[in-house]
Amino acid sequence: MSAKVKIARRVAGFGTTIFSDINVSAQRHHAVNLGQGAPDFDGPPEVLGAAVTAVNSQLNQYAPGLGMQAVREAIARHAERFYGQKIDPTCQVVVTSGATEAVFAAILGLTDPGDEVIVFQPVYDTYVPNMVMAGVRPRYVTLRGEAWIFDPEELARAFTPRTRAIIVNTPHNPTGKVYSREELGIIAELCVKYDAVAITDEVYEHILYDGVPHTRLATLPGMSERTLTISSLGKTFTVTGWKVGWAIGAESLVNAVNQAHQFITFAVASPLQAAAVTALGLPNAFFANLQATYQGKRDLMLDILRGAGFRAFKPQGSYFIMADWRGIAPGHVKDDVQFARWLIENVGVACIPPSFFYQDSDKHLGKYFTRFAVCKKDETLAAAAERLSRLGKA
Ligand SMILES: Cc1ncc(COP(=O)(O)O)c(C=O)c1O
């Protein structure tokens, strides 16, 4: 007799993520998968080699909860090298299981049930479920138009006496927006006014196009003491499966994250932490080359999509392109989910329907878009191009 399992209310409404659905469907139809933001190529050999060496050097037992000292020092040096931030590695860094755990631990450690946290939509898909599990109410501010800008008045209205935090993801998934210094200034002023914490998700900090600079909110006036900066190895070093991330900031903020982290994962894979020291210490040329490589892929993909009839928006960073599909879909396709299914089944290319990045009442805002990931081998992009080029010729 099978047990009758009662799923807890805090997770019952979640369903499976759209990424899983698309991956399963893409596999079934042998589609070229430009859906999930996971590269289909490997990271720098010296970083991979450092992990192998660590495994073979008996670095296979628990690391300290805050992270290995050498990694925390490497994270602090990286913050100083790229942003001039001065971070004390002994108390202002915590190493987490990817940026994903850092965001969740930050929400758990910094909010109480009934508090509010502001997010910009389209919103990366883990934040709101994290809030639901913490009993926190999300407040949405919408990014609009080709440049994905927010209305400062809408943002000001979202702040209330219950606001504990705002999450800012820059460069942004799924739009590729990079928040300007001016936009971050508006956010900073409101955080100071309402005594709110900023939690920034900067996992795409090194994937930038056309010379657009990445500004760290923590470096704006009044923000160093109230910003928790989160990032990870995954995107920058093409090791998304490693799940090594971190949160840095004022000691009190890092303590709050660690209060939760110590009872979620406690510590992060030791050999991968050892490899993080090598990764974060790579010379500036590595980071410049990364940008050049991705800029090439973004430009190639923009040409492919525009050539196929999409109205593709040009991202400033991250590895995604948002594109309006109305120019190419047949009349029976009515929304982004139907479009994604149609593209997989009839063209053999997978993409992500972005309505899932909006709250229920605003899903229509994502209806005519689709999201493509460019973090793929040139051969993969060429295979997608070949399939997409048949569109309109049937
Ligand atoms: C905005 C954003 N944050 C976090 C993550 C996940 O980061 P990690 O693998 O370090 O947990 C992703 C991955 O797609 C992302 O796009």
Side-chain angles (χ1 to χ4, degrees), residues 171-382:
H172 183 252
N173 174 10
T175 65
K177 171 190 178 66
V178 176
Y179 284 71
S180 67
R181 179 170 282 275
E182 196 191 353
E183 288 174 308
L184 294 173
I186 294 168
I187 296 169
E189 258 181 43
L190 287 162
C191 285
V192 172
K193 182 170 167 194
Y194 285 88
D195 195 19
V197 169
I199 301 169
T200 67
D201 176 344
E202 306 185 17
V203 297
Y204 299 102
E205 61 185 301
H206 290 292
I207 301 178
L208 300 160
Y209 306 120
D210 308 318
V212 170
H214 169 63
T215 305
R216 226 166 221 193
L217 184 52
T219 62
L220 266 63
M223 292 308 285
S224 71
E225 66 268 30
R226 61 176 67 250
T227 306
L228 192 70
T229 304
I230 291 172
S231 193
S232 71
L233 291 186
K235 315 291 178 179
T236 305
F237 302 101
T238 321
V239 287
T240 58
W242 283 14
K243 301 296 290 182
V244 177
W246 53 86
I248 62 178
E251 186 174 354
S252 54
L253 294 175
V254 167
N255 267 341
V257 176
N258 191 42
Q259 287 289 99
H261 161 76
Q262 64 182 335
F263 296 122
I264 305 176
T265 54
F266 165 57
V268 173
S270 303
L272 304 183
Q273 288 200 48
V277 179
T278 305
L280 290 164
L282 287 174
N284 290 349
F286 164 81
F287 297 90
N289 186 42
L290 181 82
Q291 291 196 4
T293 304
Y294 273 115
Q295 173 121 6
K297 291 185 187 299
R298 180 208 62 172
D299 290 346
L300 175 62
M301 198 59 206
L302 275 178
D303 282 351
I304 294 169
L305 294 174
R306 287 174 177 167
F310 286 95
R311 192 161 80 86
F313 290 16
K314 196 176 194 178
Q316 299 171 306
S318 85
Y319 41 51
F320 302 107
I321 296 180
M322 287 279 264
D324 184 323
W325 49 263
R326 278 173 291 184
I328 66 160
H332 66 84
V333 172
K334 298 288 185 230
D335 62 29
D336 58 328
V337 177
Q338 289 181 13
F339 176 77
R341 296 222 164 94
W342 174 80
L343 200 71
I344 290 175
E345 288 165 19
N346 296 278
V347 183
V349 173
C351 55
I352 295 287
S355 57
F356 289 89
F357 296 85
Y358 289 88
Q359 65 174 328
D360 283 351
S361 56
D362 288 327
K363 290 222 176 289
H364 61 280
L365 296 173
K367 190 172 169 184
Y368 298 123
F369 285 107
T370 192
R371 190 200 77 177
F372 290 98
V374 305
C375 51
K376 308 293 168 179
K377 288 183 204 144
D378 287 352
E379 301 96 271
T380 310
L381 298 180

